[in-house]
Amino acid sequence: MPIYQAPMQDYQFILQELLNIYQKPELQGFEEIDPELIDAVLQGVADFSTEIMLPINGSGDVEGCRLENGQVVTPQGFKDAYQQYIDNGWPTLTCDPEYGGQGLPEVVGVFATEMKTATNMAFAMYPGLTHGAYAAIHAHGNDALKAKYLEKLVSGEWTGTMNLTESHAGTDLALLRTKATPVADDKYAISGEKIFISSGDHDLTDNIVHLVLARLPDAPKGVKGISLFVVPKLLINDDGTLGEPNNVSAASLEHKMGIHGNSTCVMNFDAAIGELVGEPHQGLRAMFTMMNQARLGVGLQGLGVSEIAYQNALAYAKDRVQGRALSGVKQPEQAADSILVHGDVRRMLLSQKAFNQGCRALMGQQALWLDEAERHSDPLQAKSAAQLAALFTPVVKGFVTELGFKACVDAQQVFGGHGYIHEWGMEQFVRDSRIAMIYEGTNGVQALDLVGRKLLADKGETLKLWSELVKNLIAANSQQAAMKPYITGLMSAAADLEKATNYIVTQAARNPDVIGAASMAYLQILGITALAWMWTRMAEKALQCLDEGAKNSAFYHDKLATAKFFMGYWAVQTTSLVKQIELASEDIIEFADSAF
Amino acid sequence: MPIYQAPMQDYQFILQELLNIYQKPELQGFEEIDPELIDAVLQGVADFSTEIMLPINGSGDVEGCRLENGQVVTPQGFKDAYQQYIDNGWPTLTCDPEYGGQGLPEVVGVFATEMKTATNMAFAMYPGLTHGAYAAIHAHGNDALKAKYLEKLVSGEWTGTMNLTESHAGTDLALLRTKATPVADDKYAISGEKIFISSGDHDLTDNIVHLVLARLPDAPKGVKGISLFVVPKLLINDDGTLGEPNNVSAASLEHKMGIHGNSTCVMNFDAAIGELVGEPHQGLRAMFTMMNQARLGVGLQGLGVSEIAYQNALAYAKDRVQGRALSGVKQPEQAADSILVHGDVRRMLLSQKAFNQGCRALMGQQALWLDEAERHSDPLQAKSAAQLAALFTPVVKGFVTELGFKACVDAQQVFGGHGYIHEWGMEQFVRDSRIAMIYEGTNGVQALDLVGRKLLADKGETLKLWSELVKNLIAANSQQAAMKPYITGLMSAAADLEKATNYIVTQAARNPDVIGAASMAYLQILGITALAWMWTRMAEKALQCLDEGAKNSAFYHDKLATAKFFMGYWAVQTTSLVKQIELASEDIIEFADSAF
């Protein structure tokens, strides 16, 4: 069975040293946290993830979910584990204290999510979607809806789902057809079929709270005619007790490549009773306000699964003996050297490690921006943070899941033939992590969101805001000899980003289709440059800690070595990507449809 | 169900125009082939693949193989399809006419293999492994063994397997423990357990011919003490009829990520009776002589599955409507534009297309080198061809399967959420093609083979031989304005290859481990440069054909457009790869084991 060791030391480094979250009096609620509390919370999640969630990850994949008499049965152990999960209060971490939450910052929540997703992505999706439903009602529901639903969702007594996709309407929600017809008492009858509904039905809780996009009878066409409804699996009586079954049911389970432990359903709504969340026809806007957080959650899946895949590949590489080092025998006491001596095995592992640690730091930064956007005492600072979080949302989703999947494939490769066999668990990581590139907006959609809505829509203002941070970092360290390898790598990537940005801006005026062709390379350039920025900041902190005589010097030396590798292996990739943008984008658009 | 259209026009272009195989009097046996014959053969395989093999690809994946009372049962339809396969004489194409083969060149055989692998990789492996067993006995068996086995293997009446791997001995066969003890009459008792044995047991034929690596009692340690044996499932009587069951059996079926229709077995040999193939202790060398062909076969899996994945992604992209082009509505008669209007979808498809067609041409060239090595009337030319084929063996295996898998992932991505669902067939292509990166020597081993055995062992002599061909092509076209985009791209990639080669040669003398760290990037640089070479040659031919007023001008214009895209999108990737080699290889080796 795969092993997992929560990267606690990395979390501590990021929270305390890199982001300095314990000295943020300007952020409301941050005064209540301290390292002791946060370490205890994260250690609790680490223990739960490793001891309860990990053991049922592989078995859940093999067994999968099944539909019996119209009800989904989850794999063995899921129901018990879920009960323990809510008994321990894990759903409540970052939720509003008014509804039973602990009010912890996102910057703590992301690392809890990383661990849960690493150890059992399919299981973690049940509370993950619940949090989405909580956030939707919390942000857009009226007081009555909040009173009815939020406490149960925060406690985990009920779970939630998001019902957006229909078979003909995925990326393009303008095409959706599900109908909402008003009936008595502010109630609506919802009818339609939704597909790919994660956690759509299950046996973990008595009730399930479906958030559903549908059209009112008088709705304008397109995305401006979509409203958001809440539709419970069981109707709720006025006294809050559960009533009759609503007319919503799982029509079938999707046959998926992975995340078999999560019940991905086709859902039938047959005049199911629902209530409007927010204003009529404003459903898509309501979904959009939750997008930053939802996409961060999917990005964390890319990171989490990549991390556990790395840990297992490393353990295998140390344990497996096969062949001898090119430079001669390294472990004469064994029949062969461990495969960690082989340059290509080391390359794959180090690539994963540098990617994971860089992404982890970026996730922390992104979460802190989200916290600042919501909690900063200075509205201008809050606004800047919101802009930066919006800019990097397609990066943490699209870039991290794209390369996180690639890292899982590399980790599987370290196992050779054993990586292709179910028993070792590596092929499951590849299958599970694959979906993160697709759902919550495909990575291609993320790339379009980046160049269209984030870069061009504000004329590059937010990108400039961030570029100033990069320039300041470079300026502050330009005289430090020890910082040279990192600054050099960061500058080179940033220069490529600037070239790519100029290309996009120029082409946008000339032929907008061309920027679509360039968008994925652009997303990757921004992602790599962002990681180079995080690695430079981590190197800076590591050098400071060493200068100050920090006890755990090996940890900081390792950070510096990994940062250096990142610059030589990862940061250099922007050079070819910017060439692709400049040389191929127009050819892609000009290529005749008939010639494909 | 996935569609498939055999790329017949591409085959004709490669065989007739690019490689000019019908005017090769210097190659023995080539005088017997003409376009009419070869077109008919390839069309026959195309029809069989599409009509018989493709329909049982998805169902074979779902059903898989099962072990019942010690015998493997293949998925429904496999037994019938196999009977038709041998009734049609498809196993005989490239086999020796002395044993019932048709003696067709490899350069024809590769395209037959591509089509079979595209439509049903798991099924195609049964005859594929049989061909390996045929080749081993043909090259190394004595007359008695040839008489006993070859006709049955050529006709497909019996199938074959290759038994190399043991659980502790994969890449490093020096560690293998299976024993061969002499018994009466040049017979040996073989005992041991082998894992990952493709087509190890099944119900397609009465008998199965296992080629098995084992150690004789007096064997030296390591790879110099391994012998090759042939061990039939059923013993063969002196009159050629089938006798008693031998003591060999499938202990279990491996639980794999993909290729479920192929029976990958753990095989038990319990004093099974076998005969020696070739000389004692020369087993590994015997396997090595078949390596070029076996690895070409695996490379063709990378290409074949990538091709069918591309075709289906393209069909979906044309059919699926979702959103509008960035430049405005393109298909006003529809509720949305087909997703082929989106730049990123076009990018993924064009990347796959350029890769597939480039690889197909390279596969043809590689097969022609193998033919020349065996059939050329001039021994010097034959030797050069053999050297070139050896140099490019790690490329056609390691590079093509690595990027072929990536192409399948991109094709799956075009489908969005539907790509993750079994019904569309795309996720199967990803799972199936994944194994090609692992077996027949992992891609990391291919990269090591390239830098160690192919580049450094002959001091770069073979690489120089090939570089001359590249230089000649450049020189011949340097004055042609129309050739400029292709020549520019090729020259740039070739310059990066030279830089990378210099790095490897320098480091090999200083620290051999470092070349291991650089080897995968080096393999990719050589692969991309080789494709740039093929694309430049294809552009040259396409221009010639257009100059000569060829009828099908659209085909040649499409080739030129794809070649141009290749240079702007693919060829530029060498720039970052050579930087990785120069900047990261040493860091990879210097990184402390304890810091991973």
Side-chain angles (χ1 to χ4, degrees):
Chain A
M1 195 185 79
I3 55 158
Y4 181 72
Q5 176 91 43
M8 292 299 296
Q9 207 174 1
D10 224 24
Y11 293 150
Q12 288 160 350
F13 172 69
I14 292 170
L15 294 175
Q16 190 151 7
E17 287 155 351
L18 189 70
L19 301 178
N20 196 22
I21 68 159
Y22 302 114
Q23 283 157 38
K24 301 267 184 215
E26 68 276 20
L27 301 186
Q28 195 199 335
F30 273 56
E31 68 281 0
E32 285 163 30
I33 58 173
D34 58 45
E36 205 175 335
L37 169 72
I38 299 306
D39 283 2
V41 168
L42 291 177
Q43 189 61 55
V45 177
D47 293 344
F48 186 85
S49 300
T50 314
E51 290 161 19
I52 308 297
M53 291 172 64
L54 183 59
I56 54 174
N57 190 31
S59 57
D61 177 64
V62 172
E63 186 184 341
C65 297
R66 59 190 196 279
L67 193 60
E68 284 182 357
N69 306 318
Q71 300 281 324
V72 171
V73 180
T74 57
Q76 218 171 350
F78 273 47
K79 199 173 155 71
D80 281 355
Y82 186 79
Q83 191 57 48
Q84 290 184 65
Y85 183 83
I86 62 174
D87 288 349
N88 286 348
W90 298 130
T92 66
L93 292 185
T94 59
C95 293
D96 187 346
E98 195 178 334
Y99 302 99
Q102 300 186 45
L104 290 174
E106 280 303 320
V107 75
V108 172
V110 284
F111 297 136
T113 301
E114 187 203 333
M115 293 184 274
K116 291 185 283 180
T117 266
T119 47
N120 198 328
M121 178 169 158
F123 180 91
M125 289 171 69
Y126 293 102
L129 271 297
T130 305
H131 194 82
Y134 154 81
I137 297 172
H138 190 265
H140 303 286
N142 59 29
D143 289 345
L145 285 183
K146 288 182 181 178
K148 199 193 278 192
Y149 289 106
L150 290 185
E151 279 192 26
K152 302 283 192 184
L153 289 170
V154 169
S155 70
E157 189 176 332
W158 299 344
T159 66
T161 73
M162 305 302 254
N163 289 249
L164 285 70
T165 304
E166 299 173 9
S167 64
H168 56 284
T171 295
D172 190 355
L173 289 171
L175 305 175
L176 78 78
R177 294 182 196 140
T178 298
K179 281 186 186 140
T181 312
V183 290
D185 301 335
D186 298 332
K187 297 282 198 301
Y188 297 82
I190 314 288
S191 293
E193 188 190 78
K194 297 284 183 177
I195 66 169
F196 303 158
I197 306 308
S198 301
S199 318
D201 190 54
H202 57 74
D203 54 2
L204 305 181
T205 56
D206 292 334
N207 206 6
I208 301 174
V209 180
H210 302 290
L211 276 285
V212 186
L213 290 181
R215 290 185 187 284
L216 290 166
D218 61 340
K221 281 195 171 181
V223 293
K224 290 179 177 162
I226 300 172
S227 305
L228 180 63
F229 299 87
V230 57
V231 181
K233 178 180 177 181
L234 300 182
L235 294 168
I236 298 151
N237 300 321
D238 290 341
D239 63 357
T241 57
L242 293 178
E244 292 298 299
N246 205 346
N247 283 330
V248 48
S249 61
S252 63
L253 282 163
E254 309 277 14
H255 305 111
K256 307 185 302 286
M257 183 183 192
I259 49 166
H260 294 157
N262 192 270
S263 54
T264 312
C265 298
V266 175
M267 297 300 294
N268 265 345
F269 295 85
D270 184 15
I273 298 303
E275 291 173 272
L276 188 65
V277 182
E279 298 301 308
H281 317 318
Q282 301 293 319
L284 212 62
R285 190 175 295 179
M287 298 310 289
F288 261 74
T289 61
M290 295 178 307
M291 197 174 274
N292 290 340
Q293 220 164 20
R295 292 183 170 176
L296 175 58
V298 175
L300 287 162
Q301 296 179 332
L303 167 59
V305 184
S306 174
E307 173 64 28
I308 190 170
Y310 164 73
Q311 291 189 17
N312 283 278
L314 174 60
Y316 187 82
K318 286 180 173 171
D319 188 58
R320 174 79 170 173
V321 303
Q322 206 80 176
R324 292 295 186 184
L326 292 179
S327 58
V329 176
K330 290 282 177 292
Q331 292 155 321
E333 73 285 4
Q334 296 177 168
D337 291 338
S338 88
I339 61 171
L340 189 60
V341 303
H342 299 302
D344 191 56
V345 171
R346 298 172 78 82
R347 174 191 67 80
M348 290 189 285
L349 289 167
L350 206 39
S351 169
Q352 294 159 48
K353 181 188 173 80
F355 175 78
N356 291 348
Q357 292 190 359
C359 286
R360 186 171 296 124
L362 182 64
M363 293 299 187
Q365 176 61 74
Q366 174 76 357
L368 186 57
W369 280 327
L370 290 173
D371 284 326
E372 288 172 352
E374 212 168 281
R375 300 170 182 241
H376 206 292
S377 56
D378 177 351
L380 281 178
Q381 294 284 326
K383 192 188 159 212
S384 297
Q387 283 178 287
L388 288 166
L391 174 66
F392 280 95
T393 287
V395 174
V396 299
K397 197 283 182 182
F399 171 75
V400 175
T401 63
E402 193 86 7
L403 283 307
F405 172 75
K406 176 72 173 56
C408 290
V409 172
D410 275 353
Q412 180 189 26
Q413 189 72 11
V414 170
F415 279 71
H418 298 279
Y420 200 66
I421 303 298
H422 183 81
E423 283 77 355
W424 291 86
M426 300 306 287
E427 60 92 31
Q428 183 190 347
F429 296 142
V430 172
R431 288 185 289 102
D432 284 356
S433 65
R434 181 67 183 89
I435 189 59
M437 296 161 69
I438 296 173
Y439 60 19
E440 197 54 42
T442 66
N443 287 355
V445 169
Q446 304 302 320
L448 265 190
D449 177 54
L450 174 63
V451 295
R453 294 204 196 93
K454 305 300 166 59
L455 175 66
L456 295 170
D458 75 353
K459 298 188 175 143
E461 192 193 315
T462 308
L463 184 68
K464 257 182 225 148
L465 196 66
W466 179 67
S467 300
E468 285 304 313
L469 299 179
V470 174
K471 279 180 196 154
N472 294 345
L473 179 68
I474 292 171
N477 288 283
S478 59
Q479 302 306 314
Q480 307 288 329
M483 284 296 289
K484 194 165 173 230
Y486 320 112
I487 292 293
T488 307
L490 174 59
M491 283 174 72
S492 161
D496 287 334
L497 177 63
E498 200 175 334
K499 273 197 232 175
T501 304
N502 290 339
Y503 181 90
I504 301 270
V505 169
T506 311
Q507 292 297 322
R510 216 185 55 83
N511 183 352
D513 287 329
V514 171
I515 64 171
S519 59
M520 181 55 82
Y522 189 80
L523 174 67
Q524 301 213 19
I525 292 173
L526 180 57
I528 291 169
T529 310
L531 292 197
W533 176 55
M534 296 313 303
W535 271 116
T536 303
R537 290 170 60 186
M538 287 196 277
E540 185 187 38
K541 280 289 160 197
L543 283 168
Q544 276 174 23
C545 291
L546 287 169
D547 277 353
E548 291 160 7
K551 259 187 292 184
N552 188 7
S553 66
F555 177 83
Y556 301 106
H557 282 297
D558 295 350
K559 277 274 178 240
L560 291 171
T562 310
K564 181 147 180 293
F565 166 80
F566 181 88
M567 298 304 166
Y569 188 84
W570 276 93
V572 298
Q573 294 179 28
T574 57
T575 316
S576 287
L577 289 165
V578 76
K579 278 196 181 187
Q580 281 186 334
I581 288 180
E582 292 173 345
L583 297 178
S585 304
E586 224 169 316
D587 287 342
I588 291 169
I589 297 305
E590 299 303 326
F591 202 80
D593 284 7
S594 61
F596 270 93
Chain B
M1 196 185 79
I3 55 159
Y4 181 71
Q5 177 90 44
M8 292 299 297
Q9 208 174 359
D10 225 25
Y11 293 150
Q12 288 160 352
F13 172 69
I14 293 169
L15 294 174
Q16 191 151 6
E17 287 156 349
L18 188 71
L19 301 177
N20 197 21
I21 69 160
Y22 302 114
Q23 284 160 36
K24 300 270 184 211
E26 68 277 19
L27 300 186
Q28 195 199 335
F30 272 56
E31 68 281 0
E32 285 164 29
I33 59 173
D34 58 45
E36 207 176 331
L37 170 71
I38 298 306
D39 283 1
V41 168
L42 291 178
Q43 189 60 55
V45 177
D47 294 343
F48 186 86
S49 300
T50 314
E51 292 161 17
I52 308 297
M53 291 172 64
L54 183 58
I56 53 173
N57 191 31
S59 56
D61 176 63
V62 173
E63 187 184 340
C65 297
R66 57 189 196 279
L67 193 58
E68 285 181 358
N69 306 317
Q71 301 280 324
V72 172
V73 180
T74 57
Q76 218 171 351
F78 272 47
K79 198 173 157 71
D80 282 354
Y82 186 78
Q83 191 58 46
Q84 291 183 64
Y85 184 82
I86 62 174
D87 288 349
N88 286 349
W90 298 129
T92 66
L93 292 185
T94 59
C95 293
D96 187 345
E98 195 178 334
Y99 302 100
Q102 301 186 45
L104 290 173
E106 280 303 321
V107 74
V108 173
V110 283
F111 297 136
T113 302
E114 187 202 333
M115 292 184 274
K116 291 185 283 181
T117 266
T119 48
N120 198 328
M121 178 170 159
F123 180 91
M125 289 172 68
Y126 294 101
L129 270 298
T130 304
H131 195 82
Y134 153 82
I137 297 172
H138 191 265
H140 302 286
N142 59 28
D143 289 345
L145 284 184
K146 288 181 180 178
K148 200 191 277 190
Y149 288 106
L150 290 186
E151 278 191 27
K152 303 282 193 185
L153 288 170
V154 168
S155 70
E157 191 177 331
W158 298 345
T159 66
T161 73
M162 306 301 257
N163 290 250
L164 284 70
T165 303
E166 299 174 9
S167 64
H168 57 284
T171 296
D172 190 355
L173 289 170
L175 304 176
L176 79 77
R177 294 181 195 142
T178 297
K179 281 186 186 142
T181 313
V183 289
D185 301 335
D186 298 333
K187 297 283 199 302
Y188 297 81
I190 313 289
S191 293
E193 187 189 78
K194 297 282 183 178
I195 66 167
F196 302 159
I197 305 308
S198 302
S199 318
D201 191 55
H202 57 73
D203 54 3
L204 305 181
T205 56
D206 293 334
N207 206 4
I208 300 173
V209 180
H210 302 291
L211 276 286
V212 187
L213 290 182
R215 290 185 185 285
L216 289 166
D218 61 342
K221 281 196 170 179
V223 293
K224 289 178 180 164
I226 300 172
S227 305
L228 180 63
F229 299 87
V230 56
V231 182
K233 178 179 177 181
L234 300 182
L235 294 168
I236 298 151
N237 300 321
D238 290 341
D239 63 357
T241 58
L242 293 178
E244 292 298 301
N246 204 347
N247 283 331
V248 47
S249 61
S252 62
L253 282 163
E254 309 276 15
H255 304 112
K256 307 186 302 288
M257 182 184 193
I259 50 168
H260 294 158
N262 192 269
S263 55
T264 312
C265 298
V266 174
M267 298 299 295
N268 266 345
F269 295 86
D270 183 15
I273 299 302
E275 291 173 272
L276 188 64
V277 182
E279 299 300 309
H281 317 319
Q282 301 294 318
L284 211 61
R285 192 176 295 179
M287 298 309 288
F288 261 75
T289 61
M290 297 178 306
M291 198 173 274
N292 289 342
Q293 222 164 18
R295 292 183 171 178
L296 176 57
V298 176
L300 287 161
Q301 297 179 331
L303 169 59
V305 184
S306 174
E307 173 64 28
I308 191 169
Y310 164 72
Q311 291 189 15
N312 284 278
L314 175 59
Y316 187 82
K318 286 180 172 171
D319 188 58
R320 174 81 170 173
V321 304
Q322 206 80 176
R324 292 295 186 184
L326 293 179
S327 57
V329 176
K330 290 283 178 288
Q331 293 155 321
E333 73 285 3
Q334 295 176 167
D337 291 338
S338 88
I339 62 171
L340 189 60
V341 303
H342 299 302
D344 190 57
V345 171
R346 299 172 78 83
R347 174 191 67 80
M348 290 190 285
L349 289 167
L350 207 39
S351 169
Q352 295 158 49
K353 180 188 174 81
F355 174 78
N356 291 347
Q357 293 190 359
C359 286
R360 186 172 296 123
L362 181 65
M363 292 299 186
Q365 178 60 74
Q366 173 77 354
L368 187 57
W369 279 328
L370 290 173
D371 284 326
E372 287 173 354
E374 212 168 280
R375 301 169 181 242
H376 206 292
S377 56
D378 177 348
L380 280 179
Q381 293 285 326
K383 192 188 159 213
S384 295
Q387 283 178 289
L388 288 166
L391 174 66
F392 279 95
T393 287
V395 174
V396 299
K397 197 283 182 182
F399 172 74
V400 175
T401 63
E402 194 86 7
L403 282 308
F405 171 75
K406 175 71 172 59
C408 290
V409 172
D410 275 353
Q412 180 189 25
Q413 189 72 11
V414 171
F415 279 70
H418 297 280
Y420 199 67
I421 302 298
H422 182 81
E423 283 77 354
W424 291 87
M426 301 305 288
E427 60 93 30
Q428 184 190 346
F429 296 141
V430 172
R431 288 185 289 102
D432 284 356
S433 65
R434 181 66 184 88
I435 188 60
M437 296 161 69
I438 297 173
Y439 60 19
E440 197 54 42
T442 66
N443 288 354
V445 168
Q446 304 301 318
L448 265 190
D449 177 54
L450 174 63
V451 296
R453 293 203 195 94
K454 303 301 165 61
L455 175 66
L456 295 171
D458 76 352
K459 297 186 176 145
E461 192 193 314
T462 308
L463 183 68
K464 258 182 224 147
L465 195 65
W466 179 68
S467 299
E468 285 303 315
L469 299 179
V470 175
K471 279 181 196 153
N472 294 346
L473 180 68
I474 292 170
N477 288 283
S478 61
Q479 302 305 315
Q480 306 289 328
M483 284 295 289
K484 194 165 175 231
Y486 320 112
I487 292 293
T488 307
L490 175 59
M491 282 174 71
S492 161
D496 287 333
L497 177 63
E498 200 176 333
K499 272 196 232 177
T501 304
N502 290 339
Y503 181 89
I504 301 271
V505 170
T506 309
Q507 292 297 323
R510 216 184 56 82
N511 183 354
D513 287 330
V514 171
I515 65 171
S519 59
M520 181 54 81
Y522 189 79
L523 173 68
Q524 302 213 19
I525 293 173
L526 179 58
I528 290 169
T529 310
L531 292 197
W533 178 55
M534 295 313 303
W535 270 115
T536 303
R537 291 170 60 186
M538 288 196 276
E540 185 187 40
K541 281 290 162 198
L543 284 167
Q544 276 174 22
C545 292
L546 287 170
D547 277 352
E548 290 160 9
K551 258 188 293 184
N552 189 7
S553 66
F555 177 83
Y556 301 105
H557 282 297
D558 296 350
K559 278 274 178 238
L560 291 171
T562 311
K564 180 149 182 291
F565 166 79
F566 182 88
M567 297 304 166
Y569 189 83
W570 277 93
V572 298
Q573 295 180 27
T574 57
T575 315
S576 286
L577 289 165
V578 76
K579 277 195 182 188
Q580 281 185 334
I581 289 180
E582 291 173 346
L583 297 178
S585 304
E586 223 168 317
D587 287 342
I588 291 169
I589 298 305
E590 298 304 326
F591 201 80
D593 284 7
S594 60
F596 271 93

